[in-house]
Structures are given as structure tokens and as C-alpha cells.
Amino acid sequence: MNENLKNAQNLIDFIYDSPSAYHVIENSVKILKEKGFIELNLGEKWQIKKGGKYFVCQNDSSLFAFVLGTSEVEETGFKIVAAHSDSPTFKIKPSPEISVDDKYIKFNTETYGGPILNTWLDRPLSIAGRVSVKGENPLKPKTYLFNIKQPILVIPNLPIHFNRTVNDGVALNKQVDMLPVAAVVTKEINKENLLATKISEHINVAVEDILEVDLNLYDFTKGSIIGLNNEFISSGKLDDLAMVHAGLTAFIDAPISKATNVLAIFDNEEVGSRSKQGAGSPILKDILNRIAFVQGKNEEEVQRAIYNSFMVSADMAHGLHPNHPDKHDPVSRPVINGGPAIKIEGNQKYTTDSNSCAVFEMVCKEAKVPYQKFVNRSDMVGGSTLGNVSAGQLAIRSVDIGNPMWAMHSVREISGVDDHTFMIKALSSFYKLN
């Protein structure tokens, strides 16, 4: 297996082992600890030293890792790669069991982010996330990560015989059409506590001690490498776990540099980032300031460190669609396996400007990696991402980039095998800069 296929398979494995944002962080922590990183706590005193490798988590769903540079932080600043741990999905509501004519049990859910709804129909689904249970201190409940690891749910389509115009397009109602079926009712099933009973069996905690859950659905089918020449990656959650994996891979193997290298994995990007673990919060600013303050820096030196920093906001991009090329800009149309796409938007939904764009172009050239440019059609409004949200908290030079992909927010997305290695090499080159 060549390097590109190996990196692509590693990504597929990482995604399969990360069915929720909480599992993304758990698996990232395992990788960091294997590389000698030391965990810090936001609520405790920090002791750090130059060349030291550290990380800190927030809410179990976001992570901030850093390698302290050898130079003074106010002189060389921070080199940051940012990505996000969450993906569009369906969240389990409280007391989710709904009985249908006393024959079936389905679960009550709500959409998280903007999933392409019809792609979730008729697929084997499962549940994963975090469970909070009774603890000795009411302010500190115990938490468990939970993953059933078997296909227990399905959202069934309506047959064409009941909807003859289905192939002309159908508007799916999130409360009516998108509720997953869990079981056939039997005498042995606890209809009122079906999910809690399943959770209790998995985490070995009494049902009455289970207080609340943060659980989401996920496609149980593992991703794969496809295409006549094995050129595509087919998987859920490529947006944005492909960038998490590329950033993490580059970060852990980067040599210690003069500047302080940082990897920021935020949560809740898909719903606007306005949470304590999202890019719209002061969490990254607080951590960067704290790194400087713990080293004895004063307020001016902290500000110098910030203004000598640079951030790569890494979130997937739209690749030229083979069936709808008309949806793209007539000139800047990045293609899958053509290299990372630099995302540009005149109204600053992306933070890229000529200065930051030039930085990333030179990074790619240094890494001998091809790169492309992405802009929206002038008559279509695109989405924003981590860069412009975090800019509201930190005035850091920033560029928005991502690998081209198809079917963003589908339960099954497509990206390029070669592109994943291109991105790892580009981010590795960035982290090596002095």
C-alpha cells in the first residue's frame, strides 16, 4: 500500500472509531498521549517549559494541544491549525421512546446542523455520545462515553406506491419523516425506558442513576476507498474529521520550532460555534494568553505574541461536481485530488486575504504540494467557517483552506485519496516554519 492509500485508510479508521465529537477527542487524546503529550486542566495551575508538549480539553468535545517553542513567544508567536470535531447529525431528545400503535418503538430526535436528510433514509444507524450520571458532588456528575457498536436503528422511506411523485422531489418533515425505528414491541421490551436500559447495560450503571445524555445518530457502515483507480474516499464525517486527522497527523510529527505550534479542535461549528467549546467563545484566546502569562509575560508581550501569530482554518471545501458544474464559479473550480483549496470570499465569510493567501501558497510550494482556489458563484451565498468566527475573538492573520469534496453534509461524503496526503504535507510544512 502506497503512502497516499495508507493515509486515506488511517483517516477512514479514525472516522469509524469517532462516531461522536466526544469520541473524536477521546481518540485524539490517545494519539497525543502515545506521543508523550501531557494533559493540563483548565481549572488547575499550569507548569510548562520550552519544548514541552501539552494539551487541554473543554467539555470532552474540544481539544487544544501545543508544543512550546524554543524562542520567546512574543517574538515568534503561535502557529495554529484549527478544525472542528462535529458533523451534521440527529440528536436524541429526552425520554425519546415513541410507541407506534403498540407495535414499534421509534426514537424522538432533532436535527443537528444541516444534514442532507434523504441520505439518512434506509441506512443502518447506531447511537454514540456522552452519558452523565449521578456523582458524589452535584456540581461534578460522572461521565461516560457510549457507543452501541451495532446497527440498531433505521429511518424507513415511504414506498413509491404511497408517494408516486417521490422522484419529482419530496420535502421531508424532520419531526414526521426522520424518526428512527429501534425495535418491534414485545412483552420483554421496556417501552418507557428502552434506551436507558441499553445504556445501563453498556456502562454498568443503574438506570435510575443515569441523569442525561448527549447522544447522536451515526451511519454504522464503515468508509471505504473507491474508484476505478482507488482515487476516492467514501465516508461519513469527512467534513471535518479529514481536517482534524490531517492536522493531528502533521502536528504530532512536527519538530520543535522557535514558534509555539498549536492544534485547535473546536466543537459546534455546524451550529454556529456559539458555545463554550466553539470557535465563537474566548477559549482559544484564553489558552494562548495563559501560555504566555505562565511564562511570565506581561500584557504587552501577550499582545505581541498574538499579533506575531498565524492561523490556518482547515475546513473542507466544495469540489467541482461532475453532474452540476454550473453550480461553481466559471474560473475557480477546485477538483478532487488537485490539492488543498484556498477559500476566498470578498465579504469575509472566509478570512483569506492576499497576505494570508500568499503565506499558504508559499507553504504549499515549500511542501511541493499543488493548491487551488475556491470562490462561490457571485449569485450564490456560501457558508462561513472557523476562521471568521474566531476572528471575532482573536485578531490573528488567518487563511481558510480545505480539501475539495462532493456531497458535503450527506451521511456519505466523497473526497480524494491524494488530497489527504497533500494536506498532511502542507500542514507539516506550516508547522516547520520558524
Side-chain angles (χ1 to χ4, degrees):
M1 184 181 292
N2 65 32
E3 179 187 18
N4 293 9
L5 287 172
K6 182 179 178 181
N7 287 331
Q9 188 59 54
N10 287 342
L11 168 61
I12 290 169
D13 294 341
F14 179 80
I15 291 174
Y16 189 70
D17 291 336
S18 305
S20 74
Y22 306 102
H23 290 85
V24 172
I25 300 309
E26 180 188 52
N27 291 323
S28 299
V29 165
K30 288 178 182 177
I31 293 169
L32 290 169
K33 286 184 174 180
E34 287 172 359
K35 290 291 184 175
F37 281 76
I38 298 170
E39 183 169 10
L40 303 173
N41 188 301
L42 288 169
E44 297 177 0
K45 187 178 179 64
W46 288 8
Q47 292 183 333
I48 58 178
K49 60 182 181 180
K50 292 186 185 300
K53 303 189 292 185
Y54 308 94
F55 71 91
V56 63
C57 298
Q58 167 77 317
N59 191 53
D60 302 323
S61 62
S62 63
L63 179 148
F64 306 88
F66 60 95
V67 178
L68 213 58
T70 57
S71 293
E72 300 304 317
V73 69
E74 68 271 21
E75 300 289 343
T76 51
F78 303 95
K79 291 178 298 178
I80 307 163
V81 172
H84 64 89
S85 60
D86 61 321
S87 302
T89 183
F90 295 83
K91 295 282 189 177
I92 298 291
K93 289 182 177 180
S95 304
E97 294 84 1
I98 297 175
S99 177
V100 183
D101 291 342
D102 207 30
K103 301 297 183 184
Y104 311 118
I105 296 293
K106 59 184 181 181
F107 287 160
N108 198 12
T109 63
E110 61 180 322
T111 54
Y112 175 88
I116 301 177
L117 298 179
N118 63 4
T119 65
W120 286 78
L121 301 176
D122 305 320
R123 297 194 67 90
L125 305 174
S126 193
I127 299 176
R130 181 177 66 174
V131 178
S132 296
V133 307
K134 181 182 177 180
E136 293 181 4
N137 184 342
L139 287 175
K140 296 181 180 180
K142 293 181 180 179
T143 59
Y144 294 84
L145 294 197
F146 173 70
N147 181 11
I148 291 182
K149 292 186 178 180
Q150 67 182 98
I152 65 163
L153 302 172
V154 66
I155 306 173
N157 231 316
L158 195 65
I160 194 170
H161 312 84
F162 294 165
N163 184 6
R164 293 290 184 179
T165 61
V166 63
N167 289 325
D168 298 328
V170 59
L172 295 171
N173 184 293
K174 296 174 184 177
Q175 186 62 62
V176 175
D177 300 304
M178 302 308 299
L179 301 187
V181 178
V184 172
V185 173
T186 65
K187 292 180 180 179
E188 293 76 24
I189 276 186
N190 184 342
K191 293 185 291 184
E192 286 73 34
N193 254 338
L194 180 61
L195 182 57
T197 301
K198 192 73 172 176
I199 294 171
S200 173
E201 293 171 357
H202 272 68
I203 66 174
N204 197 28
V205 171
V207 170
E208 57 269 24
D209 288 340
I210 297 172
L211 302 178
E212 196 47 81
V213 299
D214 297 299
L215 299 177
N216 61 261
L217 307 190
Y218 71 94
D219 181 11
F220 187 75
T221 307
K222 188 172 182 177
S224 57
I225 295 172
I226 65 172
L228 191 61
N229 298 303
N230 291 326
E231 58 263 75
F232 302 118
I233 301 170
S234 170
S235 177
K237 302 177 182 291
L238 289 171
D239 173 26
D240 189 38
L241 298 195
M243 296 298 94
V244 169
H245 184 262
L248 182 61
T249 302
F251 177 74
I252 61 174
D253 290 332
I256 298 172
S257 65
K258 292 180 180 179
T260 294
N261 286 338
V262 179
L263 175 67
I265 305 174
F266 293 103
D267 192 9
N268 302 132
E269 190 276 343
E270 298 294 354
V271 291
S273 296
R274 306 297 180 184
S275 67
K276 64 185 179 301
Q277 56 274 357
S281 78
I283 181 69
L284 178 59
K285 178 179 68 176
D286 290 348
I287 289 171
L288 299 185
N289 288 348
R290 191 166 178 177
I291 292 170
F293 285 136
V294 170
Q295 296 179 78
K297 306 302 179 181
N298 60 36
E299 183 63 37
E300 182 183 30
E301 289 167 329
V302 171
Q303 292 300 315
R304 287 174 60 194
I306 297 299
Y307 288 102
N308 280 322
S309 299
F310 192 93
M311 182 167 73
V312 176
S313 169
D315 201 356
M316 295 292 275
H318 299 294
L320 178 65
H321 196 286
N323 295 333
H324 294 281
D326 56 298
K327 296 294 185 180
H328 297 262
D329 181 79
V331 177
S332 298
R333 307 151 69 94
V335 297
I336 288 179
N337 287 326
I342 303 171
K343 302 193 284 187
I344 301 167
E345 210 266 351
N347 294 302
Q348 288 294 290
K349 285 195 172 182
Y350 302 133
T351 58
T352 309
D353 56 26
S354 63
N355 181 286
S356 62
C357 185
V359 170
F360 195 74
E361 288 185 42
M362 288 188 286
V363 164
C364 289
K365 289 177 180 178
E366 182 73 21
K368 295 181 173 55
V369 164
Y371 60 88
Q372 309 174 80
K373 306 281 179 68
F374 170 82
V375 294
N376 286 300
R377 281 177 55 108
S378 299
D379 56 358
M380 295 182 70
V381 178
S384 59
T385 183
L386 299 165
N388 73 329
V389 175
S390 60
Q393 295 287 337
L394 278 167
I396 288 180
R397 285 193 302 158
S398 178
V399 62
D400 277 286
I401 58 97
N403 277 340
M405 65 179 293
W406 298 330
M408 186 179 289
H409 290 195
S410 170
V411 76
R412 197 79 171 186
E413 301 166 326
I414 305 292
S415 65
V417 167
D418 293 343
D419 281 336
H420 194 58
T421 294
F422 288 150
M423 183 61 74
I424 292 171
K425 289 182 175 180
L427 296 181
S428 296
S429 179
F430 171 69
Y431 276 134
K432 291 176 184 177
L433 294 175
N434 280 309

